[in-house]
């Protein structure tokens, strides 16, 4: 009997395929539909203390094997977001609250609110690569990361996940700083840019953006593997997953569950059902009862 | 991928609306849209008002990008990506097109001899593509009453029997779509509605344009009555650019 | 009259399309042929003080839009490499000597030998992402980078180029450390990995490798742009260039000349002639006399 | 992309050579090769000794990877990528195949009724694929003299008139290729030589296998006489794994 059920990062999931933060997770009805369409959980858009409109369009550069985006952390502010979470929770599956802030106090405030709203865990956005003062500017400072995670773990009751950036000299160093987390989410987007030679300027209004999709899978796998080699902490893999093969690569590199984001551009919401269905078939034909058997088997 | 396309013709349709024509060797179906980039100003979703070899976008100035875009002259270049979205169904029977504001732009490619149009606008000089319909197949509705029926679009529907048409196509502001939907939902009609919601990515990722979990940019912009039936958000609430929920 | 001739990083080139280090540049006859086939210059394989065999195969993972490699810095040692450089120089075009070392003394020793051999400049490999003790392990330490560049600039007569890694928290910081260089070469490969789910292990013998090719172009452009925004130093762009459009993107982001490597996998040595031909056509139809007019025009 | 393929049959050809058969639905031409990965041991270039629907690699154990590879049994899996390289030209006329050591493996797909073979090896039990030729079209040459002509491959050529063949195909160690080349270069013959140089990437990047600026893996492995004519490195020097130049 194969089972896709898994408990990781302090949360139990019926399925290991989770919606990544930043994709289809601003509107409660959308999150609800993604859950109903087969996602094991959703991570919300990153929410801050105040309402932010984000950047003007263009905010995305879609290409065949990657997407570059600079949304600019649009969000309605934590208080207005309660309504969306309540709607999403009617699907009766885990909702993970992603939060961003520039300091420990704000992270704590946001986490406490998310806990009140009923999320299963908070995911700390320590890695958005394109907004000054937030994201990877916070997440590349090991001292600050350590303080934020420690403070939250000492105060809130729900699990704390830390989403880290690959745009650092040493992902191992930052992982150690975040080691009090219940799980590490690896990786956020790779800092990147697109230039249009006819317009003679960057395409994104913000110039810089984050690259996601197939093209960054080798970077995500490397980060997961590198961190798994030196720690036993739960890892949630994300970056360029669009098939069960990609998912298995992340699992064998050391991830227990995985998130899907950019692949929705090409495959739509049905990708969750397809990947979990393919995983089940793979497990049956390879005699695997639980994906846990494969976590980290490639690490040597 | 961003396409770089030369405008071949510019036509002013109303005091605030301009049509830009161009050759673009890509198959586009009525109802689909493109994202038009105005470097330094922004990017906006635009339905195509002509979908043959020669294509056309019909632009109403309402923000920075569109104000700049309508100044584009023949010979100048525009940037766009797409086409995106699900098109209108085609039908061989007689059609009723209901367009409010600049909504008639995305319906225009559907016009043929079997078509009746209800064209609604606030003022008489904003009536868009009215002339595309034969005089006896054209119902104009203006809020200022200076042309056609004085009133709103639903008053125009009174002038026809919706059940006479094999398909009804509707495009305009969401409030108007909802009013039309409510007016015809109990009738024995087929209808498709092209929805406009604020759109950022155009490719089904950012969640800005979603309605009841469906992305207007990829699941729409065209929805049929069955899809709209029971939608909680349709005509009631939407998200602002920040993601904040507001009433429509 | 359009001209592709350009002087940058202290070296004059007939054409801005240069062979990147690590590709087809171990054997003097190969470098000679690449130059005869249209490259404006070649950068040699990175050479160290001692002979090294590099890693056992597999040393490459070729995919549609990227390549991951971990050659392991194979090289015959600086003394044996003189013969290859002499052969390459018979093509009468610039040969740039790439060198790697773990300390300043060795870098200096290598640079002096390269100078004796007749190269037009040395390119410091401060960025190989997959060999312990070399490459990016050296190149991510700003103090060491500053010392190496300063020492070389004070001693050797030929220009010094520094090839930097994108696998750092701040490419700007490392660029400032290397600012005594005659040119910065941006970027080396992105640290990455490939896992095979049937073998349940990393494909590369060394596990970790460097990703190159189309997939990393957005990262390279971002690095060039970021560095160009804050310095006037000459920049040589490299990373995923396989067409004149890619090349122009790098130029508009701030590079004066560019290097081509992985694209040879798909297009062979003829790519140099194709890209320079296409650039000439572009210049004619856009009224550009010299590519210098376009350097950095996208930066705002 | 790494392919994962099940071995269907294993045949021992000589004391040190094994042929592994498999189904692989990819077009491969005679002379092309694949890179075979033996996880934990290494990756090696292998010519295909059969190129129909059922394909075959013929492996001689000489290093860690190949020692492990020849142990592969039917039902087990191998990994490979490719096919790579330029194939032999086809010819409708009569052919002379000259194979030294395990070189006959890559020539085997060319064998038909119009083919004569010169099969050379150090010892009599290492003669490879001799039986594939009709008895009167087979010239065996061994250094130990225990079978056929005692001598080296060029001695075998004495037994034929090379100008009688419309094409001569040669494969073996580079020293042997050079000897054959030197022997026939002044004759009125067409000949193609499949070269073996130590290969790391297989895709024309690493420069390990280059000869006079040509990459054996993409410009070869098959070179004709015109291409070899005037090559400085052919048969004289090559690079070690480190890139150090040594005499052949």
């Amino acid at each position: 009997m194969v089972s896709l059920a898994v408990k990781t990062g302090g949360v139990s999931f019926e399925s290991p395929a989770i919606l990544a933060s930043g994709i289809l997770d601003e509107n409660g009805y959308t999150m609800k539909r993604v859950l109903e369409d087969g996602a094991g959980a959703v991570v919300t858009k990153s929410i801050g203390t105040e309402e932010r409109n984000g950047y003007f369009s263009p905010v995305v550069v879609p290409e065949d094997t990657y997407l570059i985006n600079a949304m600019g952390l649009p969000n309605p502010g934590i208080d207005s977001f309660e309504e969306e979470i309540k709607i999403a929770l009617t699907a009766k599956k885990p909702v993970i609250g992603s939060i961003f802030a520039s300091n420990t106090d704000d992270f704590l405030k946001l986490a406490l609110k998310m806990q009140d709203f009923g999320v299963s865990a908070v995911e700390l956005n320590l890695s958005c690569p394109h907004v000054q003062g937030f994201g990877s500017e916070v997440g590349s400072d090991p001292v600050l990361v350590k303080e934020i995670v420690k403070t939250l773990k000492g105060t809130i009751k729900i699990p704390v996940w830390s989403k880290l950036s690959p745009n650092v000299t040493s992902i191992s160093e930052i992982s150690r700083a975040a080691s009090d987390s219940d799980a590490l989410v690896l990786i956020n987007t790779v800092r990147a840019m697109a230039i249009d030679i006819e317009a003679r300027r960057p395409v994104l209004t913000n110039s810089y953006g984050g690259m996601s999709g197939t093209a960054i899978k080798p970077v995500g796998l490397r980060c997961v593997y590198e961190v798994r080699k030196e720690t036993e902490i739960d890892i949630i893999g994300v970056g360029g997953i669009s098939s069960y093969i990609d998912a298995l690569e992340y699992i064998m590199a050391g991830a227990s569950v995985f998130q899907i984001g950019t692949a929705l551009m090409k495959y739509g919401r049905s990708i969750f059902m397809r990947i979990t269905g393919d995983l089940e078939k793979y497990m049956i034909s390879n005699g695997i009862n639980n994906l846990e058997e494969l976590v980290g088997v490639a690490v040597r | 991928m961003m396409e770089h396309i030369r405008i071949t013709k510019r036509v002013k349709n109303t005091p605030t609306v301009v049509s830009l024509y161009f050759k673009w060797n890509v198959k586009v179906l009525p109802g689909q849209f493109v994202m038009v980039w105005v470097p330094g100003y922004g990017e906006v979703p635009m339905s195509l008002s002509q979908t043959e070899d020669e294509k056309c976008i019909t632009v109403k100035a309402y923000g920075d990008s569109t104000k700049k875009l309508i100044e584009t002259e023949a010979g100048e270049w525009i940037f766009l990506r797409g086409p995106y979205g699900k098109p209108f169904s085609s039908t061989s029977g007689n059609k009723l097109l209901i367009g409010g504001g600049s909504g008639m732009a995305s319906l225009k490619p559907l016009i043929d001899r079997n078509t009746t149009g209800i064209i609604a606008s606030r003022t008489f000089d904003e009536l868009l593509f009215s002339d595309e319909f034969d005089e006896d197949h054209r119902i104009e509705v203006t809020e200022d009453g200076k042309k056609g029926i004085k009133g709103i679009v639903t008053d125009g529907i009174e002038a026809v029997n919706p059940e006479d048409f094999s398909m009804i196509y509707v495009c305009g502001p969401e409030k108007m779509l909802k009013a039309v939907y409510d007016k015809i939902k109990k009738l024995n009609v087929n209808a498709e509605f092209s929805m406009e919601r604020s759109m950022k990515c155009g490719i089904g990722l950012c969640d800005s344009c979603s309605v009841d979990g469906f992305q207007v940019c990829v699941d729409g912009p065209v929805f049929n009555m069955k899809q709209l039936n029971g939608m909680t958000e349709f005509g009631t609430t939407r998200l602002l650019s920040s993601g904040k929920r507001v009433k429509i």
Side-chain angles (χ1 to χ4, degrees), chain A residues 23-27 29-30 33 45 51-53 57-58 60 62 67 75-76 83-84 196 198 269, chain B residues 1 4 37 42-43 79 81 200 203-207 210 212-215 219 232-233 241-242 244-245:
Chain A
I23 307 286
L24 295 185
D25 48 9
E26 184 170 85
N27 184 320
Y29 293 103
T30 309
R33 186 164 302 277
K45 192 149 284 203
E51 183 178 6
R52 274 177 68 97
N53 287 326
S57 299
V60 294
L67 172 80
N75 81 97
E83 183 181 356
E84 309 306 325
D196 188 288
E198 303 298 344
R269 295 179 303 266
Chain B
M1 206 199 65
H4 195 222
W37 178 36
E43 195 181 40
F79 294 85
R81 58 186 173 95
K200 289 181 181 180
I203 50 177
L205 295 180
C206 78
D207 208 19
S210 300
D212 272 63
F214 295 101
Q215 285 67 62
D219 297 312
T232 311
E233 288 188 276
S241 196
S242 67
K244 188 167 189 163
R245 189 173 290 279

Side-chain angles (χ1 to χ4, degrees), chain A residues 3-48:
Chain A
S3 164
L4 289 173
V6 55
K7 179 169 181 176
T8 201
V11 183
S12 294
F13 305 96
E14 286 169 34
S15 145
I18 299 173
L19 179 71
S21 179
I23 307 286
L24 295 185
D25 48 9
E26 184 170 85
N27 184 320
Y29 293 103
T30 309
M31 291 187 270
K32 179 166 180 276
R33 186 164 302 277
V34 170
L35 289 167
E36 289 166 352
D37 282 356
V42 297
V43 186
T44 69
K45 192 149 284 203
S46 284
I47 305 298

Side-chain angles (χ1 to χ4, degrees), chain A residues 119-166:
Chain A
V119 302
S120 299
V122 287
E123 180 179 288
L124 314 184
N125 180 343
L126 299 166
S127 40
C128 169
H130 49 73
V131 179
Q132 275 201 321
F134 296 112
S136 59
E137 290 198 15
V138 175
S140 59
D141 177 349
V143 178
L144 187 50
V145 167
K146 195 163 186 64
E147 178 190 300
I148 293 166
V149 175
K150 212 183 172 97
T151 303
L152 265 62
K153 279 303 295 173
T155 312
I156 69 172
K157 296 187 194 76
I158 55 175
V160 174
W161 297 0
S162 293
K163 184 166 183 181
L164 303 183
S165 169

